[in-house]
Amino acid sequence: MPEFREMAKVTLFGSGNKGGATFTPAKDIPSLAGKVVLITGAAGDLGRQTAVELAKYGRPARIYVADLPRGEAEKKAVVERITREAYESDEKDKDTTAPKTDVRFIDLDLTSFESVRACAAEFAAQEERLDILVLNAGIIRVAKGATKEGYEVHFGLNYLGHVLLAKLLVPTLEKTAAQGAEPRVVVVSSEGHAMAPKGGIQFDNLKTECAAMDYSQRYGQSKLALIHLTRHLSVHHPTLKIAAVHPGRILTGMADALKKESLLVKLTAPIAPFFCVPVSVGIVNHLWAATSKDVVSGKYYEPVGVTGKESALARDEALGRRLAEWTEEQIRGVEALA
Ligand SMILES: NC(=O)c1ccc[n+]([C@@H]2O[C@H](COP(=O)([O-])OP(=O)(O)OC[C@H]3O[C@@H](n4cnc5c(N)ncnc54)[C@H](OP(=O)(O)O)[C@@H]3O)[C@@H](O)[C@H]2O)c1
């Protein structure tokens, strides 16, 4: 019952994508010539379309699609789809003089510290710079479970895996800043952070499956932690711009997973389009945070360019400090590449 109540509250009264700044990718994405981008979960709907729009309008040198390992043919298909969708349509919109983006797949399983480290090491072996890091991958409502290191799976994947990846890539981001660039980290949170359990984060249970919590609370605490991560990173890395976003409600692969599992989502499926926006609208949040000059580091944006919608728990500085301390403990010894 609490799941139904919290989901209904977010669905009916959350701000979704209504209002916010106007951002037209074709006009507002600046040239990204020579820049390097890494997007987690970029085989999924929002990550992939973000890659397409950045490649199409910004033409960075390279975009890394960091996603779950899969067969070579499937990786090639993901890369080819992004390249095709970026360059084979809308000929008239393109700046045909700029070189096309080289899109590359890089293995990343955020439920394993070893895989996160391998991903960061493989990236570092190929690149000297990183201009835009989008922490986009995420799960919602998967079966109760734990990551390889034993953390509740939403928290371990959505939050802790991303923390470790960010920590490992910060030296490259800062090196890029030292060359006069303004590197970005886009942290994809959610209005669902408001569904976190009482107190926000149940520290004593994080290294369990959190079996007593419903899925919305497990998802909520992971997305709440990402807003605190954004603020923490912005304080400790002032040469970087770091922003958290809620992309809106979008019918993506994530919604399919929800439909299979949640009675509420199944029942409201016929009217879901009234509450949801297309992928092309959802990713405007990602694109704005990745490229707009108006982004203020450390802030949570819901919808595009609008601050101040985070929950009281997301503003709770004591909770943020406790989370930062807990996090340091968990990743001590694995947060640097050899
Ligand atoms: N859609 C919405 O309405 C909505 C609303 C608020 C926030 N968001 C956030 O937006 C982000 C993108 O979601 P989406 O809607 O685009 O969902 P999606 O289509 O399901 O994409 C999620 C991506 O994450 C990948 N992923 C899953 N487990 C992973 C792991 N262990 N390691 C690395 N990557 C993994 C998935 O890979 P596979 O496909 O191979 O499993 C997929 O490519 C998520 O963080 C989500 O919380 C979405």
Side-chain angles (χ1 to χ4, degrees), residues 122-139:
E122 193 185 333
F123 177 81
Q126 295 182 61
E127 296 295 345
E128 289 286 312
R129 66 182 297 139
L130 178 56
D131 297 89
I132 301 173
L133 170 63
V134 187
L135 304 178
N136 163 79
I139 51 163

Side-chain angles (χ1 to χ4, degrees), residues 126-208:
Q126 295 182 61
E127 296 295 345
E128 289 286 312
R129 66 182 297 139
L130 178 56
D131 297 89
I132 301 173
L133 170 63
V134 187
L135 304 178
N136 163 79
I139 51 163
I140 190 168
R141 185 132 199 161
V142 298
K144 284 183 180 140
T147 64
K148 307 275 183 308
E149 280 76 26
Y151 300 96
E152 189 286 315
V153 69
H154 293 81
F155 202 83
L157 190 165
N158 295 350
Y159 173 71
L160 204 51
H162 274 139
V163 173
L164 181 57
L165 184 68
K167 282 258 176 192
L168 293 166
L169 295 177
V170 155
T172 311
L173 287 160
E174 289 186 327
K175 201 161 70 180
T176 309
Q179 292 161 24
E182 192 191 57
R184 302 289 174 108
V185 182
V186 179
V187 179
V188 182
S189 177
S190 169
E191 64 184 347
H193 76 273
M195 303 190 296
K198 196 160 179 279
I201 294 166
Q202 293 192 351
F203 289 96
D204 293 343
N205 291 328
L206 291 177
K207 232 173 168 180
T208 72

Side-chain angles (χ1 to χ4, degrees), residues 19-33:
T22 311
F23 185 87
T24 311
K27 186 164 63 71
D28 295 323
I29 293 178
S31 166
L32 301 172

